Amino acid sequence: MVYRSFGLDNLDKICFQFRTVVKEKWVRTECENIITFDIETSNGYMDPNTRVAIGYDHEKYKTEEGKKFYKNSIKCSLMYIWQAAVESYGTDDIYVFMGRTWESYIKFMERLSLMMTLISNRIAPGVPLDQLDLKKLKKVASNCNSVDFHVYIHNMQFEFQHLRNIWDKEFAKRKAVFARTMRRPMKASVKILKNKCILHDSYVLVQKSLNKWCKDSHLPVAKLEEGEDYYLPVRTPETPLQEDELKYSENDVVSMVYGIREYREKYKILSDVPMTQTGEIRRTCISKIGVADPAWSLQCYDVTSNYTFEKLQDLTELFAGGWTHANSWHSGKLLKDIRCFDFTSSYPAVMCTRKFPVGKFIETTALDIDNIRKIKDFMKRDYAYYVEVEFNKVFTKTRNTFWSRSKTKEIVNEVCDNGKILSAEKVVSVMTDLDFERFLEVYRVESFVIKRAYKAKSDYLPTSMIQVILDYYKYKTSLKNVAGMESLYNESKQFINSIYGCAVTKIIVDEIIYNKTGWDKDSANEYTFNKAIEQILKKAQWTTYQIGCWITAWARHNLWDAIYAMDKKVVYCDTDSVKGMFTDDDMKWFDAYNESIWKLCEEVAKERHLDIELFRPKTKDGATKEIGFFDREDDCVEFKTLGAKRYCYKVWDADKNKYVVKTTIAGLPKKAGPEKVKSVNDFVDGIEWDPQSSHKLSSTYNDNQGTVEWIDRDGNHYISNDKYGLCLTPEEFKLEVDSDYKTLIGVLTAATNQTLECPSKILKKWY
């Protein structure tokens, strides 16, 4: 049962649970009740002269005067309701407390904290909490043992900016806030009376919107959908709210209680729930790989402990993510009958079937690299290597361009193809062996010089790691849509999707600091690197950073096997998928590729004494799903791309029993595209979405709002003095093709219409 209260009258009805938690360096009393928190805010647009704030009006924006006002206004925000849910431990009851001002929230948190102190120290209040003499009880509590309690907030960066209005001094204390990027705290703590309140961002734990979390986990309470213009009208702490608005606020915090309960059940106590999703995966890997396989763990420890600041800089530099690109020869054209393929769990697949640098990297010579390269099959080599290399007079041989400009240390007179290098006078990069040799295969290079080279022993990953990955891959495959198995399915899906991320967690990072002046950053240096290594080595090792670098390199290598084989026909690729104008004969290439992958699976199974059937688990319908195969996806009857992460396609929708148009446009919500683009042919450069049709909100932080006079939706005035705010503004969007890329597309289109010469000859004439 959910009980809603706008006072403190229900606090004394809550059953609290406390336990003593023993860690390495401390012993604490901890409250095990799940507490969640959320706020709703108004977004304001303040006239700098009058300091009067109004809400957003789509109709007003359509006028030139309105556009000018919203552009020049001071963006601000106002909390008009807060809500906190507190479960009654061991019961089905959840109490939701609401308030309209920060003063009421402070009062609530102090009474909640005081209640925990009294009960954990076995002091019975004796009378209803709202009748307690706060001064006297604070004095009693000052002699009691303190309590830690946890509060979960979904997407905490939003609430944190507003909570600064009441707890800024608490947040500014040393190590009170933990963040990896500016303005995005993952964890923070404040002192409330004697007790420590620890705020957690549940989003970084589940990596899903609250709505998707509720649906995927089948939580008994769902997040309610806000209306189309929910964020537009101004509500103040004095604006009467409707029941549907209160229910919306209530469900946000109640649903989180149910979601966090699953984590508490899994980890037994709240302080053991990981901070992040990768942290959760990392714990599983430490237990099932690091602890279970001490010989491998020692090998990883040896590699990591021998990293130097310079070596990690190399590895960080050579790391590259998924390869996403459009074939510029096809950009801007309406294409038909596009066949689509997708790798089955690409990153986990290469972890299970390929060899990686598992030993320490040692410096070697260019001559040694030449000898290694004589063995053409990477899987038959005893060593993996990386190089810093200088290429001169570079020009692409293929229509798809391979290497990203962003991954160069130095580049001279380059011509780029939507971020990828088409030609250059000089390119200097640090590369894995896989990328280096692919570069030489797909670019014409007048000369190259290996400036530095390092090699390490190459081998399959250990049986323990491959076994764990294949177990979770089996669960993900076989338990999909199986009633009663949602929890294990979600866990396995999360594991398969995230294990790669654990392997590439950066060691060299800037330190994000929150202090008296707000957000700040200390650049990474050798001292912070050594501290990070020291912390990492305190736990059982199960992988090394260099393995993570080769995971993505192998995935790119595999994708480029297809691109290189069918270059002219490839239309678009994204990390683990390829779309193209493939013929029936081309289908034979994919069949042959899959056969080669299965041979790799058999070789690994034999080498690591694994059951080969683990590499091809069955779905609930009995279909086999081989890991690492190119899997056929739905064909696109029509397709058009305008560059990376910008494409439109027409595909059959079985649920709607008709063809539908879908779009992928970086920076624009999914639903906005088809509302504007009704046919694939309409997908062109220059399409504009106004703030209403874009469904896009931009965030504006204000760290000095000052006094604001608000006019709410009913025409009433309200004065606020909050210093900190975060305004969510409807934003227009324009699909624009970069001028250089547009020029390139034009040249290629003209070339296609005139000649079948290879791209090198055509472009040399133009450049």
Side-chain angles (χ1 to χ4, degrees), residues 428-497:
V428 179
S429 285
V430 181
M431 296 176 164
T432 67
D433 46 7
L434 295 160
D435 292 323
F436 170 59
E437 294 183 37
R438 181 69 75 183
F439 192 101
L440 291 175
E441 184 176 39
V442 300
Y443 284 100
R444 181 174 292 108
V445 177
E446 186 175 279
S447 63
F448 69 88
V449 177
I450 293 176
K451 304 174 80 171
R452 292 183 296 124
Y454 300 86
K455 69 177 183 178
K457 287 291 291 183
S458 177
D459 203 352
Y460 294 114
L461 295 179
T463 304
S464 56
M465 190 184 300
I466 298 173
Q467 180 76 58
V468 170
I469 293 171
L470 292 177
D471 284 345
Y472 277 107
Y473 177 66
K474 177 182 177 181
Y475 299 145
K476 175 178 178 269
T477 303
S478 61
L479 300 181
K480 186 176 183 179
N481 298 324
V482 176
M485 302 303 293
E486 294 87 358
S487 180
L488 182 54
Y489 169 74
N490 286 331
E491 180 185 343
S492 59
K493 184 178 178 182
Q494 178 179 300
F495 183 93
I496 289 297
N497 292 343

Side-chain angles (χ1 to χ4, degrees), residues 312-337:
L312 250 297
Q313 283 180 310
D314 275 351
L315 292 173
T316 302
E317 200 169 329
L318 64 78
F319 168 75
W323 192 89
T324 302
H325 202 57
N327 185 336
S328 299
W329 286 77
H330 299 303
S331 286
K333 299 174 183 176
L334 178 64
L335 307 172
K336 297 189 176 183
D337 300 324

Side-chain angles (χ1 to χ4, degrees), residues 240-266:
L241 300 178
Q242 305 298 319
E243 174 58 27
D244 63 329
E245 293 173 313
L246 295 175
K247 190 66 178 175
Y248 173 88
S249 300
E250 177 184 292
N251 276 31
D252 275 4
V253 288
V254 171
S255 59
M256 277 193 280
V257 171
Y258 286 112
I260 296 299
R261 271 183 182 171
E262 294 185 354
Y263 284 92
R264 187 183 59 194
E265 288 170 8
K266 181 177 179 179

Side-chain angles (χ1 to χ4, degrees), residues 542-556:
W542 64 276
T543 188
T544 60
Y545 183 71
Q546 64 199 46
I547 288 172
C549 296
W550 260 255
I551 293 172
T552 53
W554 267 119
R556 285 191 303 278

Side-chain angles (χ1 to χ4, degrees), residues 344 470 473-474 477-478 598 601-602 611-619 622-629:
T344 307
L470 292 177
Y473 177 66
K474 177 182 177 181
T477 303
S478 61
W598 188 246
C601 293
E602 290 177 325
D611 181 0
I612 188 60
E613 296 305 317
L614 289 171
F615 293 82
R616 56 179 176 196
K618 293 181 179 179
T619 66
T624 57
K625 200 81 170 173
E626 291 86 351
I627 194 168
F629 271 31

Side-chain angles (χ1 to χ4, degrees), residues 213-435:
W213 185 11
C214 292
K215 288 179 180 178
D216 288 354
S217 297
H218 302 279
L219 301 181
V221 172
K223 174 180 171 56
L224 298 180
E225 294 291 336
E226 61 267 23
E228 190 66 35
D229 292 332
Y230 178 82
Y231 296 99
L232 302 189
V234 169
R235 307 170 183 88
T236 76
E238 294 178 355
T239 304
L241 300 178
Q242 305 298 319
E243 174 58 27
D244 63 329
E245 293 173 313
L246 295 175
K247 190 66 178 175
Y248 173 88
S249 300
E250 177 184 292
N251 276 31
D252 275 4
V253 288
V254 171
S255 59
M256 277 193 280
V257 171
Y258 286 112
I260 296 299
R261 271 183 182 171
E262 294 185 354
Y263 284 92
R264 187 183 59 194
E265 288 170 8
K266 181 177 179 179
Y267 292 98
K268 310 308 178 189
I269 60 175
L270 285 176
S271 60
D272 273 356
V273 174
M275 180 170 58
T276 66
Q277 186 181 82
T278 52
E280 188 178 17
I281 305 303
R282 195 173 287 111
R283 285 191 188 184
T284 300
C285 292
I286 288 172
S287 170
K288 296 187 175 183
I289 303 169
V291 174
D293 191 343
W296 168 251
S297 182
L298 182 61
Q299 188 173 339
C300 292
Y301 179 96
D302 196 30
V303 170
T304 302
S305 62
N306 276 274
Y307 282 151
T308 63
F309 184 61
E310 292 74 18
K311 187 65 61 64
L312 250 297
Q313 283 180 310
D314 275 351
L315 292 173
T316 302
E317 200 169 329
L318 64 78
F319 168 75
W323 192 89
T324 302
H325 202 57
N327 185 336
S328 299
W329 286 77
H330 299 303
S331 286
K333 299 174 183 176
L334 178 64
L335 307 172
K336 297 189 176 183
D337 300 324
I338 300 301
R339 291 176 170 178
C340 307
F341 287 86
D342 187 75
F343 274 119
T344 307
S345 297
S346 177
Y347 289 161
V350 299
M351 295 177 76
C352 292
T353 59
R354 303 293 183 158
K355 289 186 175 181
F356 293 84
V358 296
K360 303 175 200 173
F361 273 107
I362 58 173
E363 192 164 5
T364 188
T365 64
L367 180 60
D368 192 19
I369 298 302
D370 285 342
N371 289 329
I372 294 172
R373 288 178 57 203
K374 287 176 182 176
I375 303 172
K376 298 303 179 184
D377 187 345
F378 287 90
M379 298 298 291
K380 288 183 167 57
R381 293 178 182 177
D382 294 328
Y383 291 93
Y385 67 86
Y386 76 85
V387 290
E388 180 181 338
V389 59
E390 176 185 314
F391 302 100
N392 294 293
K393 303 286 186 186
V394 173
F395 205 99
T396 184
K397 297 179 189 175
T398 53
R399 296 193 173 193
N400 289 277
T401 43
F402 174 62
W403 197 242
S404 295
R405 187 196 186 286
S406 63
K407 299 310 296 181
T408 62
K409 293 185 75 167
E410 183 183 351
I411 188 165
V412 177
N413 291 337
E414 72 275 17
V415 175
C416 288
D417 167 17
N418 203 203
K420 303 282 194 256
I421 298 170
L422 192 149
S423 68
E425 285 295 313
K426 182 167 86 169
V427 174
V428 179
S429 285
V430 181
M431 296 176 164
T432 67
D433 46 7
L434 295 160
D435 292 323

Side-chain angles (χ1 to χ4, degrees), residues 158-176:
F158 182 82
E159 274 72 16
F160 182 86
Q161 173 70 358
H162 292 93
L163 285 169
R164 292 174 68 187
N165 287 302
I166 57 173
W167 284 334
D168 204 32
K169 289 182 180 177
E170 282 292 323
F171 290 141
K173 291 178 180 177
R174 185 171 178 267
K175 294 187 177 180

